[in-house]
Amino acid sequence: MLKVIAEDFIKPEDVEIVIPLYRELVEATKQEPLCIAYDLFIDEKDPGHFIFIEEWFDRAALDAHCASEHFRRLVPLIDQHTRKEATYILMTAF
Amino acid sequence: MLKVIAEDFIKPEDVEIVIPLYRELVEATKQEPLCIAYDLFIDEKDPGHFIFIEEWFDRAALDAHCASEHFRRLVPLIDQHTRKEATYILMTAF
């Protein structure tokens, strides 16, 4: 099991543009056979701070996600609206 | 529903000291009636970077957690071993 937190920081004026892109990304990713969880949250103090909490069967499942059509098409579209670089943490259970 | 990510940064030489404190904190917190999830993870790249992914019934449930005997006793003990200040994100579902 691999747990991931991925954080995006979107320009405040572009939040409305990215919402349908995130919606499509979440819906498509949840269909991936080795995706255990892929849930998106928004920072209560910062509506442009989007946080994915993800769970994957293994590292290969995450790599397959990053190589998927929907990831390779949608993430660059989202990244056009970021105000700073995304962050990622790969984690193991305590 | 309130989702929380809380991150602690422990001095590398003190990781073994905090592990039993975290274990007790997780076990006691999971017994709280309004705690939906309280799971602890470790950054694959940094064994002193501990990440809680929490889910609470509401803000009052989180406040009750922070006022609990186990939180008020164990968190200051853990905090003696931090290398920088903890961070918290309170989140709503996308």
Coordinates of all heavy atoms in Angstrom, one line a residue, chain A residues 1-3 5 7 19-20 22-23 26 40-45 49-51 53 59 89-94, chain B residues 1-3 5 7 19-20 22-23 26 40-45 49-51 53 59 89-94:
Chain A
M1 N 0.8 -1.2 0.0 CA 0.0 0.0 0.0 C 0.9 1.3 0.0 O 1.9 1.3 0.7 CB -0.9 0.0 1.2 CG -2.0 1.1 1.3 SD -1.4 2.7 1.8 CE -1.1 2.4 3.6
L2 N 0.5 2.2 -0.8 CA 1.2 3.5 -0.9 C 0.2 4.6 -0.7 O -0.8 4.7 -1.4 CB 1.9 3.6 -2.3 CG 2.6 4.9 -2.6 CD1 3.8 5.2 -1.6 CD2 3.1 5.0 -4.0
K3 N 0.5 5.5 0.3 CA -0.4 6.6 0.5 C 0.3 7.9 0.0 O 1.6 8.0 0.1 CB -0.6 6.7 2.0 CG -1.7 7.6 2.4 CD -3.0 6.8 2.5 CE -4.2 7.7 2.9 NZ -5.5 7.0 2.9
I5 N 0.0 12.3 -0.5 CA -0.6 13.6 -0.4 C 0.0 14.4 -1.5 O 1.2 14.5 -1.6 CB -0.4 14.3 0.9 CG1 -1.2 13.5 2.0 CG2 -0.9 15.7 0.9 CD1 -0.8 14.0 3.5
E7 N -0.3 18.3 -3.3 CA -0.9 19.6 -3.1 C -0.7 20.5 -4.3 O 0.4 20.7 -4.7 CB -0.3 20.2 -1.8 CG -0.6 19.4 -0.6 CD -0.1 20.0 0.7 OE1 -0.4 21.2 1.0 OE2 0.7 19.3 1.4
I19 N -11.8 23.8 -11.6 CA -12.7 22.9 -10.9 C -13.2 21.8 -11.9 O -13.2 20.6 -11.5 CB -13.9 23.7 -10.2 CG1 -13.3 24.3 -8.9 CG2 -15.1 22.8 -9.9 CD1 -14.3 25.2 -8.2
P20 N -13.7 22.2 -13.1 CA -14.1 21.0 -14.0 C -13.0 20.1 -14.4 O -13.2 18.9 -14.6 CB -14.8 21.7 -15.2 CG -14.3 23.2 -15.1 CD -14.0 23.5 -13.7
Y22 N -10.4 19.3 -12.4 CA -10.2 18.4 -11.2 C -11.3 17.4 -11.2 O -11.1 16.2 -10.9 CB -10.2 19.2 -9.9 CG -8.9 19.9 -9.6 CD1 -8.8 21.2 -9.3 CD2 -7.7 19.1 -9.6 CE1 -7.6 21.8 -8.9 CE2 -6.5 19.7 -9.2 CZ -6.5 21.1 -8.9 OH -5.3 21.7 -8.6
R23 N -12.6 17.8 -11.5 CA -13.7 16.9 -11.4 C -13.5 15.7 -12.4 O -13.7 14.6 -12.0 CB -15.0 17.6 -11.7 CG -16.2 16.8 -11.4 CD -17.5 17.6 -11.6 NE -17.6 18.6 -10.5 CZ -17.8 19.9 -10.7 NH1 -17.9 20.4 -12.0 NH2 -17.8 20.8 -9.7
V26 N -10.6 13.4 -11.1 CA -11.0 12.6 -10.0 C -11.9 11.4 -10.5 O -11.6 10.2 -10.2 CB -11.7 13.4 -8.9 CG1 -12.4 12.4 -7.9 CG2 -10.7 14.3 -8.2
L40 N -10.2 14.4 -3.2 CA -9.7 15.8 -3.3 C -10.4 16.7 -2.3 O -11.6 16.6 -2.0 CB -10.0 16.4 -4.7 CG -9.5 17.8 -5.0 CD1 -8.0 17.9 -4.8 CD2 -9.9 18.1 -6.5
F41 N -9.6 17.5 -1.6 CA -10.1 18.4 -0.6 C -9.6 19.8 -0.9 O -8.6 20.0 -1.6 CB -9.5 17.9 0.8 CG -10.0 16.6 1.1 CD1 -9.3 15.5 0.8 CD2 -11.2 16.4 1.8 CE1 -9.7 14.2 1.1 CE2 -11.7 15.1 2.1 CZ -10.9 14.0 1.7
I42 N -10.2 20.8 -0.2 CA -9.8 22.2 -0.4 C -9.5 22.8 1.0 O -10.3 22.6 2.0 CB -11.0 23.0 -1.0 CG1 -11.3 22.4 -2.4 CG2 -10.6 24.5 -1.2 CD1 -12.5 23.0 -3.1
D43 N -8.4 23.5 1.1 CA -8.0 24.1 2.4 C -9.1 25.2 2.8 O -9.4 26.1 2.0 CB -6.7 24.8 2.1 CG -6.0 25.4 3.3 OD1 -6.7 25.8 4.3 OD2 -4.8 25.6 3.3
E44 N -9.6 25.1 4.0 CA -10.6 26.0 4.5 C -10.1 27.4 4.4 O -10.9 28.4 4.3 CB -11.0 25.6 5.9 CG -11.9 24.4 6.0 CD -12.5 24.3 7.4 OE1 -12.1 25.0 8.3 OE2 -13.5 23.5 7.5
K45 N -8.8 27.6 4.6 CA -8.3 29.0 4.6 C -7.8 29.5 3.3 O -7.3 30.7 3.2 CB -7.1 29.0 5.6 CG -7.5 28.9 7.1 CD -6.3 29.1 8.0 CE -6.7 29.1 9.4 NZ -5.6 29.1 10.3
H49 N -6.0 26.2 -2.7 CA -5.1 25.2 -2.2 C -5.8 23.9 -2.3 O -6.7 23.6 -1.4 CB -4.6 25.5 -0.8 CG -3.7 24.5 -0.2 ND1 -3.3 24.6 1.2 CD2 -2.9 23.5 -0.7 CE1 -2.5 23.6 1.4 NE2 -2.2 23.0 0.3
F50 N -5.5 23.0 -3.3 CA -6.2 21.8 -3.5 C -5.3 20.6 -3.0 O -4.1 20.6 -3.4 CB -6.6 21.6 -5.0 CG -7.6 22.5 -5.5 CD1 -7.3 23.8 -5.8 CD2 -8.9 22.1 -5.5 CE1 -8.3 24.7 -6.3 CE2 -9.9 23.0 -6.0 CZ -9.6 24.3 -6.3
I51 N -5.9 19.7 -2.2 CA -5.1 18.6 -1.6 C -5.7 17.3 -2.0 O -6.9 17.0 -1.6 CB -5.1 18.8 -0.1 CG1 -4.6 20.1 0.3 CG2 -4.3 17.6 0.5 CD1 -5.6 21.1 0.8
I53 N -5.7 13.3 -1.4 CA -5.3 12.2 -0.5 C -5.5 10.9 -1.3 O -6.7 10.6 -1.6 CB -6.0 12.2 0.9 CG1 -5.7 13.6 1.6 CG2 -5.6 11.1 1.7 CD1 -6.4 13.7 2.9
R59 N 3.7 1.1 -5.9 CA 4.3 2.2 -6.7 C 4.0 2.1 -8.2 O 3.8 3.1 -8.9 CB 5.8 2.2 -6.4 CG 6.6 3.2 -7.1 CD 6.1 4.6 -6.7 NE 6.6 5.6 -7.7 CZ 7.5 6.6 -7.3 NH1 8.0 6.6 -6.1 NH2 7.8 7.5 -8.2
I89 N 4.0 14.1 -1.2 CA 4.6 13.2 -0.2 C 4.2 11.8 -0.4 O 3.0 11.5 -0.5 CB 4.2 13.6 1.2 CG1 4.3 15.2 1.4 CG2 5.1 12.9 2.3 CD1 3.6 15.6 2.8
L90 N 5.1 10.9 -0.6 CA 4.8 9.5 -0.6 C 5.0 8.9 0.8 O 6.1 9.2 1.4 CB 5.7 8.7 -1.6 CG 5.7 9.3 -3.1 CD1 6.5 8.3 -4.0 CD2 4.4 9.6 -3.6
M91 N 4.1 8.1 1.3 CA 4.1 7.7 2.7 C 3.8 6.3 2.9 O 3.1 5.6 2.1 CB 3.0 8.5 3.4 CG 3.1 10.0 3.3 SD 1.7 10.9 4.0 CE 0.4 10.4 2.9
T92 N 4.4 5.8 4.0 CA 4.0 4.4 4.4 C 3.2 4.5 5.7 O 3.4 5.5 6.5 CB 5.3 3.6 4.6 OG1 6.2 4.3 5.5 CG2 6.0 3.3 3.3
A93 N 2.4 3.5 6.0 CA 1.6 3.6 7.3 C 2.6 3.4 8.5 O 3.6 2.7 8.4 CB 0.6 2.4 7.3
F94 N 2.2 4.1 9.5 CA 3.0 4.1 10.8 C 3.0 2.7 11.4 O 2.0 2.0 11.4 CB 2.3 5.0 11.8 CG 2.9 5.0 13.2 CD1 4.2 5.5 13.4 CD2 2.2 4.6 14.2 CE1 4.7 5.5 14.7 CE2 2.7 4.6 15.5 CZ 3.9 5.0 15.8
Chain B
M1 N -18.6 17.1 8.2 CA -17.3 16.4 8.1 C -16.1 17.3 8.0 O -16.2 18.3 7.2 CB -17.3 15.4 7.0 CG -16.2 14.4 7.0 SD -14.6 15.0 6.2 CE -15.0 15.2 4.5
L2 N -15.1 17.1 8.8 CA -13.9 17.9 8.7 C -12.7 17.0 8.5 O -12.5 16.0 9.3 CB -13.7 18.7 10.1 CG -12.5 19.5 10.2 CD1 -12.4 20.6 9.2 CD2 -12.4 20.1 11.6
K3 N -11.9 17.3 7.5 CA -10.7 16.5 7.2 C -9.5 17.3 7.6 O -9.5 18.6 7.4 CB -10.7 16.2 5.7 CG -9.7 15.1 5.3 CD -10.4 13.7 5.4 CE -9.5 12.6 5.0 NZ -10.1 11.3 5.1
I5 N -5.1 17.4 7.9 CA -3.7 16.9 7.7 C -2.8 17.6 8.7 O -2.8 18.9 8.7 CB -3.1 17.1 6.3 CG1 -3.9 16.2 5.3 CG2 -1.6 16.7 6.3 CD1 -3.5 16.5 3.8
E7 N 1.1 17.7 10.3 CA 2.5 17.2 10.0 C 3.4 17.6 11.1 O 3.5 18.8 11.5 CB 3.0 17.8 8.7 CG 2.1 17.4 7.5 CD 2.6 17.9 6.2 OE1 3.8 17.7 5.9 OE2 1.8 18.6 5.5
I19 N 8.1 7.3 18.9 CA 7.2 6.2 18.3 C 6.2 5.7 19.3 O 5.0 5.6 19.1 CB 8.1 5.1 17.6 CG1 8.6 5.7 16.3 CG2 7.3 3.8 17.5 CD1 9.5 4.8 15.5
P20 N 6.7 5.4 20.6 CA 5.6 4.9 21.5 C 4.7 6.0 21.9 O 3.5 5.7 22.3 CB 6.5 4.4 22.7 CG 7.8 4.9 22.5 CD 8.0 5.2 21.1
Y22 N 3.5 8.4 19.9 CA 2.6 8.4 18.8 C 1.6 7.2 18.8 O 0.4 7.3 18.6 CB 3.3 8.4 17.4 CG 3.8 9.7 17.0 CD1 5.1 9.9 16.6 CD2 2.9 10.8 16.9 CE1 5.6 11.1 16.1 CE2 3.4 12.1 16.5 CZ 4.7 12.2 16.1 OH 5.2 13.4 15.7
R23 N 2.2 6.0 19.2 CA 1.3 4.8 19.2 C 0.2 5.0 20.3 O -1.0 4.7 20.0 CB 2.2 3.6 19.6 CG 1.4 2.3 19.4 CD 2.4 1.1 19.6 NE 3.3 1.0 18.5 CZ 4.7 1.0 18.6 NH1 5.2 1.0 19.8 NH2 5.5 0.9 17.6
V26 N -2.4 7.6 19.0 CA -3.3 7.1 17.9 C -4.3 6.1 18.6 O -5.5 6.2 18.3 CB -2.5 6.3 16.8 CG1 -3.4 5.6 15.9 CG2 -1.7 7.4 16.0
L40 N -1.9 7.6 11.0 CA -0.5 8.2 11.0 C 0.3 7.5 9.9 O 0.3 6.3 9.7 CB 0.1 8.0 12.4 CG 1.5 8.7 12.6 CD1 1.5 10.1 12.2 CD2 2.0 8.4 14.0
F41 N 1.1 8.4 9.2 CA 1.9 7.9 8.1 C 3.3 8.5 8.3 O 3.5 9.5 9.0 CB 1.3 8.3 6.7 CG 0.0 7.7 6.5 CD1 -1.2 8.4 6.9 CD2 -0.1 6.4 5.9 CE1 -2.4 7.8 6.7 CE2 -1.4 5.9 5.8 CZ -2.5 6.5 6.1
I42 N 4.3 7.9 7.6 CA 5.7 8.4 7.6 C 6.1 8.7 6.2 O 5.9 7.8 5.3 CB 6.6 7.4 8.3 CG1 6.1 7.1 9.8 CG2 8.0 7.9 8.4 CD1 6.8 6.0 10.5
D43 N 6.7 9.8 6.0 CA 7.3 10.2 4.7 C 8.4 9.3 4.3 O 9.3 9.0 5.1 CB 7.9 11.7 4.9 CG 8.3 12.3 3.6 OD1 8.7 11.6 2.6 OD2 8.4 13.5 3.5
E44 N 8.2 8.7 3.1 CA 9.2 7.7 2.6 C 10.6 8.3 2.6 O 11.6 7.6 2.7 CB 8.8 7.2 1.3 CG 7.7 6.2 1.3 CD 7.6 5.4 -0.1 OE1 8.2 5.9 -1.1 OE2 6.8 4.5 -0.1
K45 N 10.7 9.6 2.3 CA 12.0 10.3 2.2 C 12.6 10.9 3.4 O 13.7 11.4 3.4 CB 11.9 11.4 1.1 CG 11.7 10.9 -0.3 CD 11.8 12.0 -1.3 CE 11.7 11.5 -2.7 NZ 11.5 12.6 -3.7
H49 N 9.5 12.8 9.5 CA 8.3 13.5 9.0 C 7.1 12.7 9.2 O 6.9 11.7 8.4 CB 8.5 13.9 7.6 CG 7.5 14.8 7.0 ND1 7.4 15.0 5.6 CD2 6.4 15.4 7.6 CE1 6.3 15.8 5.4 NE2 5.7 16.0 6.5
F50 N 6.3 12.9 10.2 CA 5.1 12.2 10.6 C 3.9 12.9 10.1 O 3.7 14.1 10.4 CB 5.0 11.9 12.1 CG 6.1 11.0 12.6 CD1 7.4 11.4 12.9 CD2 5.8 9.6 12.7 CE1 8.4 10.6 13.3 CE2 6.8 8.7 13.2 CZ 8.1 9.2 13.5
I51 N 2.9 12.2 9.5 CA 1.8 12.9 8.9 C 0.5 12.2 9.3 O 0.3 11.0 9.1 CB 1.8 12.8 7.3 CG1 3.1 13.5 6.8 CG2 0.6 13.5 6.7 CD1 4.1 12.5 6.3
I53 N -3.5 11.8 9.0 CA -4.7 12.1 8.1 C -5.9 11.8 9.0 O -6.1 10.7 9.4 CB -4.6 11.3 6.8 CG1 -3.4 11.7 6.0 CG2 -5.9 11.6 6.0 CD1 -3.3 10.9 4.7
R59 N -16.1 20.4 13.7 CA -15.1 21.2 14.4 C -15.1 21.0 15.9 O -14.0 21.0 16.5 CB -15.3 22.7 14.0 CG -14.3 23.6 14.7 CD -12.9 23.2 14.2 NE -11.8 23.8 15.0 CZ -11.0 24.8 14.6 NH1 -11.1 25.3 13.4 NH2 -10.1 25.2 15.4
I89 N -3.6 21.6 8.2 CA -4.5 22.0 7.2 C -5.9 21.5 7.6 O -6.0 20.3 7.7 CB -4.2 21.6 5.8 CG1 -2.7 21.8 5.5 CG2 -5.0 22.3 4.8 CD1 -2.3 21.1 4.2
L90 N -6.9 22.4 7.7 CA -8.3 21.9 7.9 C -8.9 22.0 6.5 O -8.8 23.1 5.8 CB -9.0 22.8 8.9 CG -8.4 23.0 10.3 CD1 -9.4 23.7 11.2 CD2 -7.9 21.7 10.9
M91 N -9.6 21.0 6.1 CA -10.1 20.9 4.7 C -11.6 20.5 4.6 O -12.1 19.8 5.5 CB -9.3 19.8 4.0 CG -7.8 20.1 4.0 SD -6.8 18.7 3.3 CE -7.1 17.5 4.5
T92 N -12.2 20.9 3.5 CA -13.5 20.4 3.2 C -13.4 19.6 1.9 O -12.5 19.8 1.1 CB -14.5 21.6 3.0 OG1 -13.9 22.5 2.0 CG2 -14.8 22.3 4.2
A93 N -14.3 18.7 1.7 CA -14.3 17.8 0.6 C -14.6 18.7 -0.7 O -15.4 19.6 -0.6 CB -15.3 16.7 0.7
F94 N -13.9 18.3 -1.8 CA -14.1 19.0 -3.1 C -15.5 18.9 -3.5 O -16.1 17.8 -3.5 CB -13.1 18.4 -4.1 CG -13.3 18.8 -5.5 CD1 -12.9 20.1 -5.8 CD2 -13.7 18.0 -6.5 CE1 -13.0 20.6 -7.2 CE2 -13.8 18.4 -7.8 CZ -13.5 19.7 -8.1

